């Protein structure tokens, strides 16, 4: 079973590439239809969000002609109940961003339900602005009896909101396809304050608390009979035996054969009963159950022990909807087994696939931008090295498909081209400003005493000529960059090559080598494995901590050629 990254619209990919009942677990964290876009991957050096990525999801959820066509298609193909529900939303709320969002989510959730195995589970991560609508949609598609949990994740400790309660949580809706599904019981750590209050006693077995040995109401069986002079019926109660304690000593079969009084005797023999200092007389207080502290508490539907990703976190990538790896690990561990297939149709920065790979699951990730696909590729490489095996579907594999992408969407082409050399996008190409002429940047460290040096990258998908190289040289000078790289889809002219060479060379003191200041590479060359001639770069896609530590230990400027190659990768 292959691990796959798909570039493209997840609706089309689900319909064309994902088989019926082939997926064990689905996690999705779609845009929430707020007034904000949700595909920012990088931040500028100032800490501000990079404008280029802000365009990636613009207008995705507005009511457009495409939305109207989707409604007409759904009317013909979806279940009558779902059609009635969506039309009801439109009737009440109107044709607007909210109903466009719900419609586009509904048709995708139908496909997700189709690809899910009968034993599979789906987790939909959303915020309270959309969760109540989405739950009704999910009830309609999956059936209300297959709703398992509304999980609350406390994503921040506090939030100051004007004239309302601070909104500090997200909602995760947990559904299964049937009543027979994968479930692995997980434990989470106890809160220390809770332990201090509840588990105040301790003996040779460990910490414990005192709990009732009786339950409310009387019964006709031996659970209401006397035991050692104690009569629970006088209190309107019956003996309530913790089954797990007895089974751990005698097994399931013997448990079923024992009387309640025999079970109580066994508990006393093994030290699970607490007697008051007044002894075992009939007029003494009722004995209590010594409930010992377990290794952890079963996971709860309110998650407060997984904090959000703070600004200093090693896993932080600058992606605004990035969720903690621990959160995805908990979901994947609870609802899948090793070797199962995990799908994330809104993959973003790839936390789901990182968690799935780490936990030995197979995975499929889908995203609609080359930015996200590129980030996931480098994040996988930084985290797992060469041990992770996967393929990418939807990326240009030759110049013909590169031309097709450029013709369809030149911004997606630009982002894809930048990813070929691990350059980070810069600025908003739809606006003119101080950053005009800079499509991407790379950085390298020449020596430990000076700041990283900048490389300016330009990408061209149309006809190129010598004036383009002259403009790049001007941008390099203006930005005080060290080098400039020019990526072109068309073949460069001879005057372009001469103009680039005339700019001369940069001599690197740290690497003891000269590098041509202005360089040109075609898409065909990059696809064939050729590279720009440059020092090892401090790549824009965030490195895994392990890789950084290894580089520091080996010594940046004493590295062998093999080690330098690893740094470049």
């Amino acid at each position: 079973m292959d691990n796959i990254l798909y570039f493209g619209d997840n609706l089309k990919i689900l319909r064309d590439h994902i088989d019926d009942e082939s997926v064990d677990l689905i996690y999705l964290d779609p845009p929430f239809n707020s007034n904000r876009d949700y595909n920012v991957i990088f931040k500028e050096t100032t800490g501000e969000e990079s404008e280029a990525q802000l365009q990636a999801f613009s207008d995705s959820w507005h009511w457009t002609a495409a939305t109207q066509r989707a409604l007409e298609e759904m009317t013909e193909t979806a279940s009558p109940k779902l059609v009635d529900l969506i039309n009801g939303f439109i009737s009440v709320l109107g044709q607007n961003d909210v109903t466009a969002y719900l419609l586009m989510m509904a048709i995708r959730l139908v496909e997700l339900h189709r690809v899910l195995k009968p034993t599979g589970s789906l987790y939909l991560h959303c915020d309270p602005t959309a969760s109540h609508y989405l739950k009704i949609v999910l009830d309609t598609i999956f059936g209300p009896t297959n709703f398992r949990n509304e999980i609350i994740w406390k994503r921040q400790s506090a939030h100051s909101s004007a004239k309302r309660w601070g909104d500090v949580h997200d909602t995760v809706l947990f559904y299964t396809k049937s009543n027979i599904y994968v479930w692995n019981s997980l434990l989470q750590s106890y809160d220390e304050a809770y332990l201090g209050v509840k588990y105040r006693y301790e003996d040779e077995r460990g910490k414990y608390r005192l709990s009732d040995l009786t339950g409310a109401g009387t019964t006709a069986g031996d659970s209401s009979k006397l035991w050692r002079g104690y009569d629970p019926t006088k209190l309107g109660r019956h003996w309530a035996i913790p089954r797990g304690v007895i089974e751990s000593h005698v097994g399931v079969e013997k448990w079923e054969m024992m009387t309640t009084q025999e079970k109580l005797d066994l508990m006393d023999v093994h030290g699970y009963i607490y007697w008051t200092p007044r002894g075992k007389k009939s007029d003494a207080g009722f004995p209590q159950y010594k409930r010992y502290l377990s290794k952890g508490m079963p996971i709860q539907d309110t998650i407060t022990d997984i904090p959000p990703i703070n600004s200093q976190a090693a896993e932080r990538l600058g992606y605004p909807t990035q969720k903690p790896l621990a959160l995805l690990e908990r979901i994947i561990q609870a609802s899948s087994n090793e070797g199962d297939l995990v799908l994330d149709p809104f993959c973003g920065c790839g936390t789901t696939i990182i968690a799935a790979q780490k936990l030995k699951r197979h995975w499929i990730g889908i995203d609609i931008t080359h930015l996200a696909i590129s980030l996931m590729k480098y994040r996988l490489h930084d985290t797992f090295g060469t041990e992770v095996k996967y393929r990418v579907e939807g990326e240009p594999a030759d110049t013909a498909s590169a031309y097709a992408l450029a013709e369809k969407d030149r911004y997606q082409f630009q982002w894809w081209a930048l990813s070929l050399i691990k350059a980070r996008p810069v600025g908003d190409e739809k606006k003119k400003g101080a950053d005009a002429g800079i499509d991407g940047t790379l950085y390298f460290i020449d020596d430990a005493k000076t700041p990283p040096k900048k490389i300016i990258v330009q990408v061209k998908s149309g006809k190129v000529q010598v004036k383009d190289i002259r403009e790049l040289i001007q941008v390099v000078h203006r930005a005080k960059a060290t080098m400039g790289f020019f990526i072109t889809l068309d073949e460069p002219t001879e005057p372009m090559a001469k103009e680039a060479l005339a700019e001369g060379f940069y001599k690197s003191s740290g690497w003891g080598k000269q590098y041509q200041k202005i360089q040109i590479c075609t898409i065909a060359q990059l696809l064939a494995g050729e590279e720009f001639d440059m020092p090892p770069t401090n790549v824009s896609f965030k490195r895994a901590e392990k890789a950084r530590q290894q580089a520091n230990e080996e010594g940046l400027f004493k590295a062998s050629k093999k080690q330098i190659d690893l740094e470049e990768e």
Side-chain angles (χ1 to χ4, degrees), residues 230-362:
Y230 292 94
D231 184 0
T233 60
K234 290 183 177 180
L235 304 176
R237 300 177 71 82
H238 66 279
W239 297 112
I241 312 297
R243 179 169 183 156
V245 170
I246 306 299
E247 285 186 356
S248 66
H249 289 282
V250 301
V252 177
E253 290 185 8
K254 192 167 182 180
W255 151 273
E256 294 175 348
M257 298 171 59
M258 295 172 68
T259 67
T260 299
Q261 286 66 32
E262 289 172 335
K263 294 170 184 175
L264 288 166
D265 285 337
L266 184 66
M267 289 183 66
D268 192 27
V269 168
H270 288 283
Y272 286 100
I273 293 180
Y274 175 84
W275 299 96
T276 67
R278 291 177 291 175
K280 304 177 183 179
K281 298 179 181 179
S282 60
D283 59 347
F286 261 65
Q288 293 181 285
Y289 167 42
K290 294 166 69 172
R291 186 185 297 274
Y292 285 92
L293 182 64
S294 63
K295 293 181 180 180
M297 176 176 59
I299 54 174
Q300 306 294 301
D301 67 2
T302 301
I303 302 175
T304 59
D305 62 325
I306 298 178
I309 300 173
N310 62 51
S311 59
Q312 304 303 315
E315 64 180 285
R316 180 179 173 84
L317 296 167
Y319 202 95
T321 60
Q322 183 181 354
K323 301 304 182 292
L325 186 62
L327 180 63
L328 271 299
E329 288 178 351
R330 182 171 294 179
I331 289 171
I332 291 171
Q333 286 177 314
S335 292
S336 69
N337 297 315
E338 286 190 12
D340 283 352
L341 179 59
V342 178
L343 166 66
D344 187 340
F346 292 89
C347 210
C349 62
T351 302
T352 304
I353 64 175
I354 295 296
Q357 179 69 27
K358 181 179 177 183
L359 296 171
K360 300 180 181 180
R361 274 69 167 170
H362 299 288

Side-chain angles (χ1 to χ4, degrees), residues 8-269:
D9 182 349
N10 53 28
L11 181 61
K12 179 174 175 54
I13 289 166
L14 286 166
R15 288 173 172 173
D16 294 348
H17 298 285
I18 313 298
D19 293 335
D20 293 357
E21 298 186 348
S22 61
V23 177
D24 296 282
L25 172 63
I26 297 170
Y27 170 86
L28 62 156
D29 182 15
F32 297 151
N33 200 59
S34 70
N35 292 323
R36 159 170 203 188
D37 294 287
Y38 280 92
N39 204 39
V40 179
I41 294 177
F42 302 103
K43 287 186 178 292
E44 304 292 0
T45 54
T46 60
E48 296 178 352
E49 293 172 346
S50 172
E51 291 292 326
Q53 286 70 246
L54 288 177
Q55 299 300 319
F57 269 122
S58 289
D59 300 326
S60 289
W61 305 113
H62 295 341
W63 195 280
T64 62
T67 316
Q68 185 63 41
R69 287 195 298 271
L71 176 61
E72 293 170 1
E73 177 190 338
M74 190 191 73
T75 302
E76 296 176 356
T77 60
S79 70
K81 286 185 178 180
L82 184 60
V83 173
D84 288 346
L85 176 67
I86 298 301
N87 283 327
F89 282 147
I90 296 170
S91 176
V92 173
L93 302 174
Q95 291 186 352
N96 51 40
D97 293 356
V98 173
T99 48
Y101 172 71
L102 294 173
L103 169 61
M104 301 305 274
M105 284 304 305
I107 58 179
R108 285 161 173 80
L109 288 168
V110 168
E111 294 301 321
L112 292 173
H113 181 268
R114 174 185 62 81
V115 305
L116 196 62
K117 289 182 179 178
T119 55
S121 301
L122 177 140
Y123 289 80
L124 196 163
H125 195 131
C126 50
D127 76 0
T129 63
S131 61
H132 51 302
Y133 297 123
L134 290 171
K135 187 177 185 303
I136 301 174
V137 174
L138 285 164
D139 280 346
T140 305
I141 297 171
F142 281 76
T145 59
N146 288 321
F147 168 69
R148 302 300 164 197
N149 279 110
E150 180 181 66
I151 302 164
I152 301 300
W153 173 53
K154 186 179 179 183
R155 56 179 163 76
Q156 61 188 101
S157 57
H159 186 268
S160 179
S161 298
K163 297 184 178 180
R164 64 178 181 140
W165 303 72
D167 51 325
V168 297
H169 81 275
D170 283 354
T171 298
V172 182
L173 300 174
F174 171 29
Y175 281 77
T176 60
K177 195 166 184 177
S178 70
N179 62 353
I180 301 174
Y181 55 94
V182 174
W183 179 255
N184 301 310
S185 296
L186 303 179
L187 300 178
Q188 64 186 76
S189 300
Y190 289 101
D191 181 83
E192 288 299 324
Y194 170 81
L195 294 180
V197 172
K198 296 295 185 181
Y199 287 85
R200 296 178 292 135
Y201 306 99
E202 188 170 5
D203 60 17
E204 65 280 359
R205 186 181 276 132
K207 291 185 176 182
Y208 66 89
R209 59 179 295 187
L210 298 180
S211 298
D212 285 338
L213 265 174
T214 61
T218 60
T219 67
D222 58 13
S223 63
S224 287
K225 293 179 180 179
L226 286 173
W227 177 67
R228 298 191 185 180
Y230 292 94
D231 184 0
T233 60
K234 290 183 177 180
L235 304 176
R237 300 177 71 82
H238 66 279
W239 297 112
I241 312 297
R243 179 169 183 156
V245 170
I246 306 299
E247 285 186 356
S248 66
H249 289 282
V250 301
V252 177
E253 290 185 8
K254 192 167 182 180
W255 151 273
E256 294 175 348
M257 298 171 59
M258 295 172 68
T259 67
T260 299
Q261 286 66 32
E262 289 172 335
K263 294 170 184 175
L264 288 166
D265 285 337
L266 184 66
M267 289 183 66
D268 192 27
V269 168

